[in-house]
Amino acid sequence: MAINISENGRLFNLHTKNTTYQFKADKYDYLIHTYYGDLIDDTDLYTQLSAVDRGFSGNPYEIGKEDRKYSLDTLPLEYSCFGTGDFRISALKVRENTGNQTVELKYDGYEVKKGLYKIEGLPAVYTDDGTGETLIVKLKDIVNGLSVSLFYGIIEEKDIIVRSAVLTNKGKETLWLEKTASACLDLPFGDYDMLSFYGRHNMERNLSRRKIDHGITAIGSTRGTSSHHYNPFVILAESSATEEFGRCFGLSFVYSGNFLMETEKDQTGLTRVLCGINPEEFSWKLNSEESFYTPQVIMSYSGHGISGLSDNYHRVIVENIIRGKWKNKKCPVLINNWEATYFDFNGEKIEKIAEESAQMGVELFVLDDGWFGKRDNDNCALGDWYPNEKKLGCTLKELGETIISKGMHFGLWFEPEAISEDSDLYRQHPDWALTTPGRKPSVARNQLVLDYSRKDVLEYIIDRMEDILSTVPISYVKWDMNRSICDKYSSLLPADRQGELAHRYVLGLYYVLEKLTQDFPDVLFEGCSGGGGRFDAGMLYYTPQIWCSDNTDAINRLRIQYGTSFGYPPRTMGSHVSASPNHQTGRSTTLRTRAAVAMAGTFGYELDVSILKEEEKQEIKEQIKFLKEHNELLFNGHYYRLTVPEDICCAWEFADRDKNEALVFSVCYRVEGNLLPLHIKPKGLEPDIKYMVSESGWYETEKDKEPLVLSGSAIMNAGITLPVPREDGDVCIIHIKNKNI
Ligand code: GLA
């Protein structure tokens, strides 16, 4: 049993394979958090909380008379409320019609259910076979009638707890939800660092590690998308924790819009972390008998370092977030024409690239931006989802069929949330764009955003996309979104519901994605937002892979993919070999560096292969052959970060979960005179097995050298020394294979 409830339904122990999460409804009916960490028994840890009468930390009315040591300002709480004496950051803030903002939640019972819970209209972690358990803890405010159900879904074997809250107005008067965190986690003891992932367009998800000190540390987004700037995934790690050692906690928000993840270290040294929709642009009118569902947070804990925590997230995303046919199917090797042609193409040029790439073994051709309306540049036509047959020289169906006749699949780019002012759609429906009354809207890439809170807008997009998907032989869609959203005002929502727009937008997005993915289950959807501007577990529920960054420079990608790997598995990161010199940075790298880096993601090409030299074409064939040989390992292997990308080389590894095989990749950033040895310690092997260790790859190396035979324990503990790199960006791939297989 993952959920143990004792002491007359008041002490809750949530056990997973390696972790325990405990809280208690105390004698005053407050829900107090007592423990999250390594697996322990059901011992009541409430007794271990320190009780001291602290000045300026008051007491609830009845309690204060008998116990001045009891304060909501110092206790670890399971779901903190605003206004009743807890002065730290609060999970819940509610306004009544009177203007009152005080809310106080008391324990009101529980329920346990088999299987994981679902959330209406929102993505959520699921299990294929209905396993898992759900605990629902009920709380209520006795004055205003607000009822809050805290949901805890448990996947025992993966050390995963998924949390969210449902708020129901059981009173007669309308309530206004002003802040509704999905989860509050109070860690009463210990010093922690916060690991978060910041960035910008073309340089997403850089790792930031900082000490959580007294005060508030927060990351978030008000851009309407989860954003390039901060990713909705954080790790709290003990200050001494490394990849392999120490305690760490993760929170991954299953949501693609505005979010806030905040931590506060309080006067007693307690660390609180909250995760939820960003209250900055949020206010939800909750009429009597209505409910509001918060998005889900995936929580996990590892007592053995950050690497173990990352693997928990990799596994839950692959097995319990990604759905449908593409959950277990490898993405075909694709070629995308964007960096090959930008808008400058016609049917003939496309066919030529397709023809050449098919001969090299590429399996899917993706036609990017520019195939519709009069879209010959990025100033116009978004919304006019009708093929430009003049430009293509044929119908889109005919083009698709031609590509298929070359033995490839056909894929198409859409940007369904955008509208250009210069478009037929805008001329017909100017009110479908988000703009604020009396003001000129802010533009980005000269485009506006469609009002996804409107049913008619959603129906139009579904209609246009379904028309194309059902008449053209398409097996892949790239779903793009190319700006941050401001001017968040809907011409259909009443004044007192404008604060709901940002969340309603995301609900609209999920509605369309759900409809399309259900109606076209064979189509592979890839998410994109100017690269990785919406790389989150919410999108991965609909799109099993996401274009990781518009920056295809192999050297920069090492850092972007490294940062992304903390919370997301490599197979979710779209990664392509593009031209050299690179279009974003101007840097030149070899074809083999670019391919090695792209193999740490869903592999593809994005360059004009029709102008490549013969030996380059030959090399691409070899790369695809190598990828196919090792695809299972790259797709399903256990991924390890072996170095930080600031060192001279960046190394990573894919290890087979049965421990029979591993591939280690290393890219040297820069050679130096009198270079020191590059030495790494591969992981995930069986200590007693003897392995053959040899250099591998599609290019000329010291391949003919006899492989070394080393034990797993020698490889993992003593490590291996890599060959001396000859130039910047030099690649080394080491294949480690069980000698007896
Ligand atoms: C975004 C995407 C690119 C490409 C362009 C097309 O920037 O991230 O990959 O599709 O749009 O306009």
Side-chain angles (χ1 to χ4, degrees):
M1 265 299 265
I3 301 171
N4 285 354
I5 302 162
S6 51
E7 296 190 13
N8 266 334
R10 302 188 78 90
L11 182 66
F12 298 87
N13 273 289
L14 279 46
H15 299 299
T16 66
K17 193 169 160 201
N18 301 297
T19 75
T20 295
Y21 184 97
Q22 190 191 80
F23 56 92
K24 182 174 185 172
D26 70 6
K27 63 178 178 181
Y28 304 117
D29 283 337
Y30 290 108
L31 210 57
I32 308 298
H33 180 82
T34 49
Y35 178 74
Y36 189 25
D38 288 295
L39 184 69
I40 54 166
D41 58 22
D42 288 349
T43 306
D44 180 355
L45 294 171
Y46 187 78
T47 51
Q48 298 306 305
L49 302 175
S50 98
V52 174
D53 176 7
R54 295 184 197 277
F56 293 83
S57 289
N59 327 103
Y61 188 76
E62 293 87 4
I63 305 172
K65 290 185 188 139
E66 60 181 72
D67 181 3
R68 285 177 43 171
K69 298 194 287 295
Y70 190 101
S71 174
L72 296 178
D73 197 26
T74 54
L75 280 163
L77 303 176
E78 196 53 29
Y79 199 67
S80 57
C81 301
F82 181 82
T84 26
D86 178 3
F87 294 93
R88 299 165 293 189
I89 46 177
S90 44
L92 180 69
K93 201 166 171 188
V94 176
R95 188 165 42 85
E96 297 169 10
N97 270 340
T98 57
N100 170 50
Q101 287 187 307
T102 295
V103 61
E104 182 177 33
L105 295 176
K106 293 281 192 94
Y107 181 58
D108 190 30
Y110 74 91
E111 219 182 306
V112 175
K113 289 189 172 167
K114 279 212 161 63
L116 296 183
Y117 64 93
K118 296 190 169 106
I119 314 178
E120 214 175 280
L122 287 164
V125 164
Y126 69 94
T127 51
D128 275 328
D129 52 3
T131 51
E133 279 178 73
T134 296
L135 167 70
I136 307 162
V137 175
K138 295 177 183 159
L139 304 167
K140 68 173 180 206
D141 183 303
I142 47 168
V143 177
N144 63 23
L146 180 69
S147 149
V148 176
S149 295
L150 301 180
F151 280 69
Y152 302 81
I154 296 153
I155 309 183
E156 204 174 338
E157 179 263 329
K158 293 202 177 83
D159 294 330
I160 292 291
I161 301 179
V162 287
R163 293 183 59 181
S164 62
V166 177
L167 297 95
T168 304
N169 183 353
K170 294 199 170 148
K172 289 201 172 53
E173 300 295 323
T174 295
L175 294 173
W176 306 84
L177 306 178
E178 312 256 280
K179 185 177 183 188
T180 58
S182 298
C184 168
L185 173 64
D186 278 5
L187 302 169
F189 311 106
D191 287 318
Y192 300 95
D193 288 348
M194 174 168 160
L195 280 70
S196 59
F197 303 88
Y198 71 95
R200 54 191 186 275
H201 177 232
N202 273 340
M203 218 48 237
E204 300 87 337
R205 289 174 295 286
N206 301 272
L207 169 65
S208 145
R209 181 170 183 159
R210 58 193 144 155
K211 181 176 161 60
I212 297 178
D213 218 327
H214 291 278
I216 297 169
T217 310
I219 57 148
S221 164
T222 54
R223 295 171 181 271
T225 59
S226 45
S227 88
H228 302 83
H229 306 78
Y230 299 101
N231 191 264
F233 172 70
V234 294
I235 296 173
L236 265 66
E238 271 182 342
S239 308
S240 55
T242 63
E243 286 279 7
E244 299 300 313
F245 304 101
R247 300 185 174 87
C248 45
F249 306 83
L251 290 99
S252 177
F253 202 24
V254 191
Y255 191 62
S256 313
N258 290 350
F259 74 94
L260 183 65
M261 286 171 153
E262 340 165 57
T263 64
E264 178 173 4
K265 188 164 184 166
D266 79 0
Q267 58 177 333
T268 70
L270 172 149
T271 300
R272 168 169 295 170
V273 48
L274 296 174
C275 170
I277 292 177
N278 199 328
E280 183 85 48
E281 255 181 344
F282 176 80
S283 160
W284 195 275
K285 182 178 181 183
L286 198 68
N287 288 323
S288 178
E289 295 308 324
E290 284 178 355
S291 293
F292 180 81
Y293 300 81
T294 73
Q296 191 172 69
V297 179
I298 308 173
M299 276 190 346
S300 190
Y301 167 84
S302 159
H304 301 283
I306 298 162
S307 175
L309 190 73
S310 287
D311 193 48
N312 292 350
Y313 281 99
H314 291 187
R315 289 176 60 221
V316 74
I317 283 174
V318 166
E319 289 165 30
N320 309 96
I321 281 280
I322 294 175
R323 298 176 299 163
K325 173 175 164 181
W326 295 95
K327 174 174 180 163
N328 298 315
K329 199 168 153 57
K330 297 171 185 80
C331 173
V333 175
L334 67 76
I335 185 149
N336 178 304
N337 73 303
W338 179 243
E339 286 199 23
T341 64
Y342 298 102
F343 292 103
D344 183 19
F345 64 83
N346 54 28
E348 207 182 312
K349 204 164 179 180
I350 292 301
E351 273 181 44
K352 195 152 177 238
I353 298 174
E355 174 71 42
E356 290 280 358
S357 49
Q359 282 172 18
M360 288 178 242
V362 176
E363 300 158 308
L364 163 67
F365 183 90
V366 179
L367 181 58
D368 210 278
D369 197 352
W371 56 267
F372 54 93
K374 55 172 179 111
R375 179 101 170 151
D376 281 327
N377 58 54
D378 62 5
N379 289 312
C380 62
L382 289 167
D384 297 343
W385 301 109
Y386 296 90
N388 183 344
E389 293 178 2
K390 200 163 151 233
K391 179 169 179 177
L392 299 178
C394 59
T395 65
L396 190 60
K397 183 166 182 247
E398 283 162 351
L399 181 65
E401 281 164 354
T402 308
I403 283 168
I404 287 170
S405 73
K406 299 182 193 306
M408 300 174 103
H409 299 283
F410 182 51
L412 200 60
W413 178 95
F414 286 91
E415 193 180 345
E417 296 155 74
I419 179 166
S420 306
E421 267 186 298
D422 182 5
S423 68
D424 293 340
L425 186 67
Y426 186 81
R427 283 182 278 276
Q428 279 162 28
H429 299 287
D431 57 324
W432 282 13
L434 293 173
T435 54
T436 46
R439 294 174 203 276
K440 290 277 180 221
S442 136
V443 286
R445 227 190 175 200
N446 266 322
Q447 64 194 59
L448 304 176
V449 180
L450 280 168
D451 181 355
Y452 261 45
S453 73
R454 290 176 66 135
K455 260 258 138 64
D456 48 1
V457 169
L458 304 185
E459 294 312 329
Y460 169 80
I461 290 299
I462 290 171
D463 180 66
R464 283 313 318 127
M465 288 188 70
E466 295 218 336
D467 179 39
I468 294 170
L469 291 178
S470 52
T471 52
V472 181
I474 288 170
S475 47
Y476 163 106
V477 165
K478 179 171 168 189
W479 179 294
D480 207 345
M481 200 301 180
N482 276 318
R483 61 163 290 180
S484 302
I485 313 174
C486 50
D487 302 297
K488 292 196 192 81
Y489 180 89
S490 168
S491 51
L492 274 197
L493 285 174
D496 61 0
R497 287 198 180 271
Q498 290 295 336
E500 299 175 10
L501 180 68
H503 182 54
R504 286 187 183 275
Y505 181 96
V506 181
L507 293 176
L509 169 68
Y510 290 155
Y511 173 82
V512 177
L513 285 168
E514 181 68 20
K515 175 93 175 87
L516 293 172
T517 49
Q518 294 304 323
D519 289 353
F520 297 91
D522 291 339
V523 173
L524 169 62
F525 283 78
E526 173 153 355
C528 176
S529 176
R534 201 163 51 187
F535 206 117
D536 55 66
M539 284 308 287
L540 288 170
Y541 188 72
Y542 306 96
T543 66
Q545 59 198 53
I546 298 175
W547 181 224
C548 194
S549 176
D550 271 351
N551 185 348
T552 54
D553 174 286
I555 300 301
N556 280 176
R557 271 294 185 117
L558 291 171
R559 200 158 94 216
I560 297 168
Q561 293 173 188
Y562 168 85
T564 310
S565 78
F566 281 81
Y568 308 93
R571 59 170 270 193
T572 61
M573 307 176 204
S575 197
H576 301 168
V577 173
S578 60
S580 178
N582 179 267
H583 293 190
Q584 291 78 42
T585 61
R587 191 195 328 261
S588 296
T589 48
T590 62
L591 199 49
R592 74 172 187 236
T593 308
R594 284 172 272 153
V597 175
M599 281 180 196
T602 55
F603 185 77
Y605 292 87
E606 191 163 332
L607 73 173
D608 187 353
V609 285
S610 67
I611 56 169
L612 292 180
K613 296 193 201 100
E614 242 353 277
E615 64 260 29
E616 290 173 314
K617 290 181 187 168
Q618 196 49 40
E619 184 174 343
I620 289 181
K621 277 190 198 159
E622 297 292 319
Q623 291 172 350
I624 295 174
K625 193 164 150 253
F626 179 86
L627 177 93
K628 293 282 171 188
E629 273 166 27
H630 298 283
N631 220 0
E632 181 55 29
L633 196 53
L634 298 169
F635 191 70
N636 282 324
H638 187 148
Y639 175 86
Y640 293 96
R641 296 173 289 271
L642 297 183
T643 66
V644 292
E646 282 97 47
D647 292 349
I648 281 186
C649 84
C650 179
W652 64 96
E653 175 188 355
F654 290 90
D656 158 28
R657 292 195 185 265
D658 292 335
K659 306 192 173 203
N660 284 319
E661 196 184 8
L663 269 182
V664 173
F665 290 76
S666 148
V667 172
C668 168
Y669 279 118
R670 52 182 183 281
V671 283
E672 283 177 0
N674 208 352
L675 196 70
L676 301 177
L678 299 181
H679 190 80
I680 49 161
K681 293 196 175 101
K683 297 172 185 175
L685 304 173
E686 194 57 52
D688 296 334
I689 288 183
K690 292 264 189 263
Y691 293 91
M692 315 245 279
V693 180
S694 54
E695 233 197 299
S696 179
W698 56 89
Y699 47 86
E700 270 314 300
T701 59
E702 300 168 6
K703 251 194 288 189
D704 297 335
K705 234 172 90 179
E706 276 297 294
L708 285 174
V709 177
L710 294 171
S711 69
S713 61
I715 299 171
M716 292 190 293
N717 295 310
I720 50 179
T721 304
L722 301 176
V724 179
R726 290 149 294 187
E727 58 184 355
D728 285 357
D730 213 359
V731 174
C732 170
I733 303 175
I734 303 282
H735 191 210
I736 302 174
K737 195 157 174 34
N738 185 337
K739 185 172 171 283
N740 302 316
I741 290 185

